[in-house]
Amino acid sequence: MAPNTRQLQLTSTAASAVHGDLEDVRLLDSYEKNDVDDGTKRVQVRISGMTCAACSNSVEAALKSVDGVIGASVALLQNKADVVFNRSLVKDEDIKNAIEDAGFEAEILPEPGSLGNGTTLVVGQFTIGGMTCAACVNSVEGILRNLSGVKRAVVALATSLGEVEYDPNVISKDDIVSAIEDAGFDASFVQSSGQDKIVLGVVGVCGLVDAQVLEGMLSGMKGVRQFRFDPLLSELDLVFDPQVISSRSLVDAIQLGGNGEFKVHVRNPYARMASKDVSETSTMFRLFISSLFLSIPLFFMGVVCPHIPLIYSLLLWRCGPFLMGDWLKWALVSLIQFVIGKRFYIAAGRALRNGSTNMDVLVALGTTASYVYSVCALLYGALTGFWSPIYFETSAMLITFVLLGKYLECLAKGKTSDAIKKLVELAPATALLVVKDKGGRSIEEREIDSLLIQPGDTLKVLPGTKIPADGIVSWGSSYVNESMVTGESIPVLKEVNASVIGGTINLHGVLHIQATKIGSDTVLSQIISLVETAQMSKAPIQKFADYVASIFVPTVVTLSLLTLLCWYIAGALGAYPEEWLPENGNHFVFALMFSISVVVIACPCALGLATPTAVMVATGVGANNGVLIKGGDALERAQMVKYVVFDKTGTLTQARATVTTAKVFTGMDRGEFLTLVASAEASSEHPLAKAILQYARHFHFFDESSPTSDAQNDAKKFMSGWLYDVSDFSALPGRGVQCFIDGKRILVGNRKLLAESGINISTEVENFVVELEESAKTGILVAYDDVLTGVLGVSDPLKREASVVIEGLQKMGVVPIMVTGDNWRTARAVAKEVGIQDVRAEVMPAGKAEVVRSFQKDGSIVAMVGDGINDSPALAAADVGMAIGAGTDIAIEAADYVLMRDNLEDVITAIDLSRRTFSRIRLNYVFAMAYNIVAIPVAAGVLYPSLGIKLPPWVAGACMALSSVTVVCSSLLLRRYRKPRLTTILEIIVN
């Protein structure tokens, strides 16, 4: 019988079965692994069932107990866990099982946007023909193991099969086949262990026949490992081998194979996660409405119906042992308690099985106590004729208010992740692919899903549309609005060879771009990942809340029991008048109501939400202002910053060094002098070297004194048109460069370089260099054939906002410091210009970290602002590292903050936002702590003897539900944050 569409599960494909005999031969499994891979892996897990901080603590403890887990952070708000583990000891399934063993549901999340090269190492199987003996095997193995990117290789003579473990980012399967064939053997690729997953939305599967067609198509498709079709969601989960088939080829094959009946599109991972959040909110709303609908009749029966004689007489009609009204109340509350409120019992049971307690335990205890008492009171009255008051309404109203609170909480939490939603919306849904022939001519344009873009694709971007992927402009010219990513409002001119960022908007002209980064490698995806990771991180201050939450519920239960005993014993001893008792009530009932109120009103959720909600909002606000924050711990440290250490070049200055002076101190021609210096610096990547090269090129080609055409045609002297041939080039960090031209040594650098080389610096040269340095210029000395030949003066202009930002930091109570590898005179001149008092000059790159540590010795919090590779040690050593967004990837990786706009004003924004955030967190803790400190004694009846104030359980439930919402709404006020204006900080009055 044909399978039902609902029964289609992860199925091995026929393509795999064809090579089943090869799959059984696991050569590398028996190969002696001398090189053990002890790398780490990070996964994110979606967790269902967590309700408060106690739940997240339980999950975190369960994860950390797994052998091989290095770190685990659980985010209650996002219902996610971020887990780092040793991939040689732990598998994804182990993580999932640990969470499920703790009583919660878990789902390993795929890497967002990752559609290719998701695996670091893959094992490829190759057939190898032409081998006749062991010598052939050794030869092939030796060739394979020597290939760059190949980690291990083993070849079996009997099966003519080879298995190679390799990095697909370094070497491709075709390169391996070519290497084997170059050795004189035949080779072909069979399959690889590399696999990727993609989720497709399929339109057109209307019944069982369509499902069978789809299954047959996928089963015969080479490279497809597993698949599962969900007919309810019209979603197709595919696991495939990216070495055999690409995601775009998969989509095309499905659409073509269905004769046009199937329409396929890729489901965005972030959109799917967002839909689950929306689903949770809608589920909570449905439960709340259902509970409210059933609670309204209870309210009418107790308040309105007694004033309507006809209806009230019906409620007082005795039906069996109970009144009709009691039957109705019992039936309605039972539905609320055990059908709508079932989730509280399930969650409480999970928590208790795991040895922990949470808010669900409190709700289950309070409602069950009220419900069981009311049922017992009815049965006791039926048996004895003594009718005690019943409190069915308490259970119903409590569950209704708790569900209302959870619904409002879901809405509020949804708003805290608006930054990620906005970033996801930046990614365009489709792209215009330019198809070219073998000659490189455009022959077709077709629209594809942007998630199916592959590296190397040529994409056409029309005016007014979003750029679909990171890439390089290959044709055209236009201005691009990058404000949605960088925060910079001024459009940027993009011409051929300029880089573009996916998600930014092309304003005017048509562009052709060549895609370079896709999926999780794109700037937009990295920003989304960074913001999401930061929102999941825990600030150190949250440890206090986690500890309180872990002991909160047991403490509340104990207080509830003490309240019950105290009031009951006091009543038995006659410590309060009988008039206080409810009608037909007794001392136990009177005491029980206070006890239930204590259980109900105490809520650990507000404590658990105080920090993460504020951190989530702050990271979103920061991203919208061009400041990316890597975690709550960074926020906490930044708000206490005392010192900010600035790198000079590229941070305080524009890193656009220009040569302003060139003076020759020997009889050498000026053009000859500049050619020598440019030839020496041509191999250097230093910004000063590029400035010198540009100056020399401009001199030769635009100055009347440039070398003659005869000189340029002198093959002995000139290379690449006009530069000399250089040999034995070496860069000397902190000093300059050294090389040989025509066998003569040339040195270009500072005094230290010349002094170490034994070259004398005359008084005239020294005075000239001092004069340059005192005017904030760098003097570069040039020696040729061990004779000091000339000096170049180089200026790097300051950023226009540098001096104002420094003054603004000083107004905020932060001490700015400048560190540079430049000489003291130049450093002091620059520092004086921007207003920095403390300068550390002539510091080698590694010494910048030591400067940072020197300010940390007294326990002060130190921030470092830098942009280059040489700043990364200092950024890592600082308590708060701030990388300029235009800087290097290494610097950005080492930093805690990324300033996307390359604007120093964002240093002030980062510190000010951190201060505002932690001011809000402290206020949240005041709300949460004060609420429980005040509310619990009131619920326990402390004020009842003197003021007659008591909180019925249903009122306590309303207060409990709204407490966490108060904290979340307090955090949401951070969304109104506006970065400080420098005119306000500096107290400048603008007329």
Side-chain angles (χ1 to χ4, degrees):
M1 185 175 68
N4 187 283
T5 55
R6 295 176 182 269
Q7 297 173 335
L8 284 180
Q9 297 296 323
L10 288 174
T11 310
S12 298
T13 66
S16 298
V18 171
H19 301 290
D21 56 332
L22 297 179
E23 286 185 338
D24 293 335
V25 184
R26 298 295 302 159
L27 302 179
L28 285 175
D29 289 345
S30 59
Y31 179 72
E32 184 178 353
K33 298 181 179 182
N34 297 321
D35 185 11
V36 179
D37 182 9
D38 59 352
T40 60
K41 182 180 179 182
R42 180 187 297 271
V43 297
Q44 287 192 352
V45 190
R46 188 177 189 88
I47 305 171
S48 302
M50 295 192 300
T51 57
C52 65
C55 296
S56 62
N57 290 341
S58 299
V59 175
E60 201 165 292
L63 288 170
K64 290 181 178 177
S65 65
V66 177
D67 185 30
V69 171
I70 299 170
S73 176
V74 179
L76 173 64
L77 288 178
Q78 292 185 319
N79 294 321
K80 289 181 185 176
D82 188 69
V83 189
V84 179
F85 56 90
N86 189 326
R87 60 189 175 199
S88 65
L89 300 176
V90 182
K91 297 180 179 179
D92 292 0
E93 280 300 313
D94 298 330
I95 301 297
K96 182 179 179 182
N97 293 337
I99 297 173
E100 291 178 344
D101 290 343
F104 302 90
E105 297 178 7
E107 176 191 358
I108 304 293
L109 295 176
E111 186 179 355
S114 178
L115 295 179
N117 292 337
T119 309
T120 303
L121 293 175
V122 298
V123 177
Q125 291 186 336
F126 300 82
T127 56
I128 304 172
M131 296 188 297
T132 57
C133 62
C136 298
V137 171
N138 293 335
S139 175
V140 175
E141 283 187 350
I143 291 168
L144 292 174
R145 291 171 186 171
N146 289 330
L147 293 176
S148 177
V150 172
K151 186 175 183 181
R152 288 190 295 270
V154 61
V155 176
L157 177 62
T159 58
S160 297
L161 186 68
E163 276 193 356
V164 184
E165 186 173 8
Y166 62 97
D167 185 347
N169 297 317
V170 178
I171 188 171
S172 69
K173 63 181 187 301
D174 295 329
D175 295 333
I176 295 174
V177 169
S178 297
I180 298 173
E181 290 177 342
D182 289 344
F185 301 91
D186 297 327
S188 63
F189 174 78
V190 179
Q191 64 180 4
S192 76
S193 64
Q195 62 182 31
D196 215 333
K197 182 178 180 180
I198 188 172
V199 180
L200 304 175
V202 184
V203 178
V205 181
C206 302
L208 183 60
V209 175
D210 291 333
Q212 291 175 339
V213 170
L214 181 62
E215 182 182 11
M217 185 193 314
L218 294 170
S219 298
M221 198 175 294
K222 187 177 181 181
V224 174
R225 295 290 184 80
Q226 296 173 322
F227 61 86
R228 180 175 62 84
F229 179 70
D230 186 336
L232 297 178
L233 299 176
S234 296
E235 281 188 354
L236 176 63
D237 288 2
L238 276 170
V239 179
F240 63 97
D241 186 347
Q243 295 281 305
V244 177
I245 189 170
S246 67
S247 54
R248 192 159 74 211
S249 300
L250 268 174
V251 171
D252 292 343
I254 294 173
Q255 293 188 144
L256 292 174
N259 296 323
E261 295 182 3
F262 300 148
K263 301 297 181 185
V264 183
H265 63 276
V266 183
R267 292 288 173 90
N268 188 305
Y270 283 112
R272 295 178 71 231
M273 286 183 238
S275 67
K276 290 187 177 182
D277 294 335
V278 172
S279 175
E280 181 184 359
T281 303
S282 62
T283 299
M284 206 58 63
F285 179 72
R286 178 175 51 80
L287 291 174
F288 162 67
I289 291 298
S290 301
S291 182
L292 179 64
F293 179 77
L294 294 175
S295 298
I296 289 175
L298 294 171
F299 173 78
F300 271 87
M301 281 189 281
V303 178
V304 179
C305 291
H307 301 285
I308 306 175
L310 179 61
I311 296 178
Y312 192 55
S313 62
L314 290 175
L315 295 176
L316 294 178
W317 176 54
R318 183 169 296 279
C319 182
F322 311 122
L323 301 178
M324 179 60 70
D326 293 335
W327 280 114
L328 289 174
K329 289 180 180 178
W330 192 352
L332 290 171
V333 172
S334 295
L335 287 174
I336 296 173
Q337 184 78 28
F338 300 111
V339 178
I340 297 174
K342 179 178 67 173
R343 66 181 306 277
F344 296 110
Y345 283 103
I346 294 173
R350 285 173 176 167
L352 294 174
R353 283 200 309 271
N354 194 44
S356 63
T357 50
N358 56 21
M359 188 197 76
D360 294 304
V361 174
L362 293 179
V363 174
L365 278 175
T367 57
T368 302
S370 177
Y371 179 86
V372 170
Y373 162 76
S374 298
V375 172
C376 291
L378 280 179
L379 296 175
Y380 182 75
L383 293 174
T384 64
F386 181 79
W387 299 95
S388 299
I390 57 176
Y391 296 98
F392 279 126
E393 298 89 345
T394 297
S395 295
M397 297 303 291
L398 173 57
I399 290 177
T400 301
F401 279 120
V402 170
L403 290 173
L404 172 62
K406 294 298 290 182
Y407 169 63
L408 294 175
E409 210 174 286
C410 287
L411 285 179
K413 289 192 291 185
K415 290 183 179 180
T416 60
S417 57
D418 276 356
I420 291 180
K421 293 177 182 176
K422 288 179 181 178
L423 288 168
V424 172
E425 289 169 359
L426 291 179
T430 60
L432 199 58
L433 177 67
V434 178
V435 182
K436 298 183 178 182
D437 60 15
K438 294 182 179 180
R441 292 173 297 181
S442 300
I443 58 174
E444 180 189 355
E445 293 178 7
R446 67 186 182 101
E447 192 175 70
I448 64 170
D449 195 303
S450 61
L451 294 174
L452 297 177
I453 296 172
Q454 299 171 358
D457 282 348
T458 299
L459 308 170
K460 184 177 182 179
V461 187
L462 300 174
T465 61
K466 293 178 181 177
I467 293 173
D470 292 5
I472 303 294
V473 176
S474 59
W475 179 87
S477 174
S478 179
Y479 280 89
V480 173
N481 181 1
E482 297 183 340
S483 61
M484 59 286 300
V485 175
T486 65
E488 184 58 62
S489 59
I490 301 175
V492 182
L493 176 63
K494 299 294 182 180
E495 297 177 312
V496 175
N497 293 328
S499 60
V500 291
I501 302 172
T504 56
I505 299 175
N506 178 27
L507 296 179
H508 304 299
V510 176
L511 294 176
H512 282 192
I513 69 166
Q514 186 175 24
T516 56
K517 294 181 179 179
I518 63 168
S520 59
D521 292 331
T522 63
V523 170
L524 188 58
S525 292
Q526 289 174 352
I527 292 174
I528 293 172
S529 178
L530 188 62
V531 173
E532 190 173 45
T533 302
Q535 290 183 344
M536 289 184 63
S537 68
K538 289 186 178 180
I541 194 175
Q542 195 173 342
K543 293 179 181 178
F544 167 73
D546 291 345
Y547 171 72
V548 173
S550 66
I551 63 172
F552 191 88
V553 176
T555 303
V556 168
V557 173
T558 302
L559 288 175
S560 174
L561 293 175
L562 289 175
T563 300
L564 176 65
L565 290 174
C566 289
W567 278 106
Y568 181 73
I569 293 172
L573 296 177
Y576 55 82
E578 296 290 328
E579 289 78 13
W580 287 8
L581 299 179
E583 185 179 357
N584 294 331
N586 54 38
H587 295 294
F588 176 76
V589 174
F590 185 65
L592 181 63
M593 290 304 98
F594 286 114
S595 176
I596 291 175
S597 293
V598 170
V599 171
V600 169
I601 203 167
C603 178
C605 287
L607 277 173
L609 295 172
T611 297
T613 52
V615 170
M616 285 185 72
V617 176
T619 50
V621 168
N624 290 336
N625 284 278
V627 177
L628 299 183
I629 308 165
K630 291 190 178 180
D633 52 347
L635 271 169
E636 183 164 349
R637 292 193 300 269
Q639 53 104 19
M640 298 183 290
V641 165
K642 182 177 179 180
Y643 299 100
V644 176
V645 179
F646 289 92
D647 173 51
K648 179 176 77 72
T649 305
T651 303
L652 290 173
T653 67
Q654 298 178 16
R656 296 176 184 171
T658 55
V659 177
T660 59
T661 308
K663 187 171 182 179
V664 182
F665 290 92
T666 63
M668 183 181 291
D669 177 72
R670 190 165 180 236
E672 176 74 6
F673 168 73
L674 290 176
T675 304
L676 284 170
V677 180
S679 301
E681 294 284 12
S683 301
S684 175
E685 293 296 324
H686 197 280
L688 296 183
K690 295 179 180 178
I692 293 171
L693 193 61
Q694 182 179 4
Y695 181 81
R697 184 184 293 112
H698 184 276
F699 177 88
H700 282 302
F701 294 105
F702 295 95
D703 195 274
E704 293 180 357
S705 60
S706 60
T708 64
S709 59
D710 292 338
Q712 289 181 353
N713 293 329
D714 188 345
K716 180 179 179 181
K717 291 186 176 181
F718 288 88
M719 294 292 292
S720 301
W722 62 283
L723 292 177
Y724 292 134
D725 188 11
V726 171
S727 61
D728 297 333
F729 173 87
S730 60
L732 307 171
R735 297 188 294 279
V737 299
Q738 171 184 287
C739 64
F740 288 85
I741 297 177
D742 288 339
K744 297 178 181 179
R745 184 172 65 166
I746 181 169
L747 302 170
V748 183
N750 54 22
R751 295 181 183 86
K752 186 182 295 185
L753 175 62
L754 269 65
E756 290 176 353
S757 303
I759 297 174
N760 181 52
I761 301 175
S762 67
T763 304
E764 180 187 7
V765 173
E766 179 65 25
N767 291 338
F768 181 75
V769 173
V770 169
E771 183 180 343
L772 289 174
E773 293 169 347
E774 288 177 346
S775 59
K777 298 177 182 177
T778 300
I780 299 178
L781 290 78
V782 181
Y784 180 60
D785 197 17
D786 293 338
V787 176
L788 201 159
T789 307
V791 175
L792 296 171
V794 181
S795 173
D796 186 3
L798 289 168
K799 291 180 178 176
R800 57 182 179 81
E801 74 276 9
S803 59
V804 193
V805 169
I806 295 302
E807 186 178 353
L809 287 172
Q810 291 169 339
K811 291 279 186 179
M812 295 171 67
V814 178
V815 180
I817 297 141
M818 189 182 80
V819 61
T820 177
D822 215 334
N823 63 82
W824 278 99
R825 289 191 185 89
T826 304
R828 286 197 187 101
V830 172
K832 183 178 180 181
E833 192 172 346
V834 297
I836 294 179
Q837 304 297 323
D838 197 335
V839 182
R840 305 300 167 95
E842 298 182 1
V843 178
M844 296 289 286
K848 293 181 181 180
E850 294 303 319
V851 172
V852 169
R853 294 189 186 99
S854 68
F855 287 98
Q856 294 173 323
K857 289 181 179 178
D858 62 351
S860 298
I861 302 298
V862 180
M864 170 71 192
V865 185
D867 71 321
I869 293 176
N870 60 348
D871 298 325
S872 55
L875 289 169
D879 298 291
V880 181
M882 297 184 184
I884 298 293
T888 64
D889 292 340
I890 296 176
I892 292 173
E893 183 68 26
D896 300 297
Y897 284 73
V898 180
L899 312 182
M900 293 291 295
R901 298 191 309 160
D902 195 11
N903 191 318
L904 289 176
E905 291 181 35
D906 290 339
V907 175
I908 289 179
T909 302
I911 295 175
D912 182 70
L913 177 59
S914 301
R915 291 179 177 179
R916 296 280 188 90
T917 301
F918 268 80
S919 175
R920 181 62 56 180
I921 288 173
R922 294 185 188 98
L923 185 61
N924 287 350
Y925 278 123
V926 169
F927 286 153
M929 295 295 293
Y931 168 82
N932 284 297
I933 291 172
V934 173
I936 291 177
V938 173
V942 171
L943 300 180
Y944 187 71
S946 59
L947 301 176
I949 297 175
K950 68 175 180 178
L951 293 179
W954 70 270
V955 175
C959 294
M960 183 269 287
L962 294 175
S963 65
S964 57
V965 177
T966 302
V967 169
V968 174
C969 291
S970 170
S971 295
L972 286 175
L973 290 176
L974 277 172
R975 289 166 50 132
R976 302 174 60 185
Y977 173 83
R978 296 293 180 269
K979 60 183 181 180
R981 299 179 62 180
L982 289 175
T983 53
T984 303
I985 295 175
L986 301 178
E987 299 175 357
I988 298 174
I989 300 175
V990 180
N991 295 321

